[in-house]
Amino acid sequence: QAMAGLRTRGLDRVLPTLKQPLLGICLGMQLLFEHSSEASRIDAPDDSSARSTDCLGILSGHVQRLPPSPSWPHMGWNQIVSDRAAHPLLDGLAANDWYYFVHGYAAQADVSTIAYCDHGLRFSAAIARDNVHGTQFHPEKSAVAGRRLLSNFLSLT
């Protein structure tokens, strides 16, 4: 439904052309990828009969359902790990900071990943490529660390 809304408004053509910094949060980050299984049947927990939804395609990759274990959906506080060189979006964030997640689907960690999290599988917690940024967690619900990340993003503009 989210992609349908973007298409109806013509934003699926506009967003990939933006030169300004872009930040996708949670589902907004997932929509940056090529495809998602999130619009698939809810009663197909392993995505075996899932159909894929075409997303914005700004980033390569597929958003998939998280495994049922340790819990599904992933809701609550978790830490992220960054093993790449420092990125301005993560400036000033500490390894022991906590972030609030609420999602059942995620993109696997790949070349655009600047921080990842583990919850049944390793997934992208934060991504960045050129002017495009995203967080799977909700910075607006992540207290001091979230405010710092949003401040970092605003400094990119």
Side-chain angles (χ1 to χ4, degrees):
Q1 291 181 353
M3 275 307 302
L6 292 177
R7 285 187 188 102
T8 298
R9 292 167 181 80
L11 293 173
D12 60 323
R13 294 182 307 277
V14 172
L15 291 172
T17 66
L18 291 179
K19 301 299 180 213
Q20 303 88 339
L22 173 66
L23 177 65
I25 296 174
C26 196
L27 177 60
M29 179 180 116
Q30 294 175 11
L31 295 175
L32 298 171
F33 289 89
E34 294 172 303
H35 309 282
S36 174
S37 296
E38 187 155 2
S40 66
R41 291 181 34 214
I42 285 180
D43 59 343
D46 62 356
D47 275 348
S48 60
S49 63
R51 61 183 172 81
S52 181
T53 299
D54 290 337
C55 295
L56 294 170
I58 297 171
L59 300 172
S60 298
H62 184 86
V63 174
Q64 64 186 23
R65 189 179 204 275
L66 291 172
S69 181
S71 64
W72 193 90
H74 177 206
M75 293 179 67
W77 295 91
N78 212 330
Q79 293 176 305
I80 63 174
V81 177
S82 180
D83 55 7
R84 292 200 20 204
H87 188 278
L89 193 63
L90 304 177
D91 187 46
L93 299 175
N96 61 347
D97 285 339
W98 290 84
Y99 303 86
Y100 190 77
F101 289 85
V102 56
H103 63 117
Y105 291 77
Q108 286 188 323
D110 69 2
V111 296
S112 64
T113 302
I114 59 172
Y116 64 88
C117 186
D118 287 300
H119 190 80
L121 64 83
R122 181 172 289 183
F123 65 87
S124 292
I127 57 95
R129 193 189 81 202
D130 302 325
N131 65 312
V132 177
H133 307 81
T135 62
Q136 184 59 66
F137 57 88
H138 287 266
E140 77 281 9
K141 297 179 181 272
S142 297
V144 174
R147 283 192 302 273
R148 177 63 189 243
L149 183 133
L150 291 172
S151 176
N152 290 344
F153 175 74
L154 290 174
S155 72
L156 298 175
T157 64

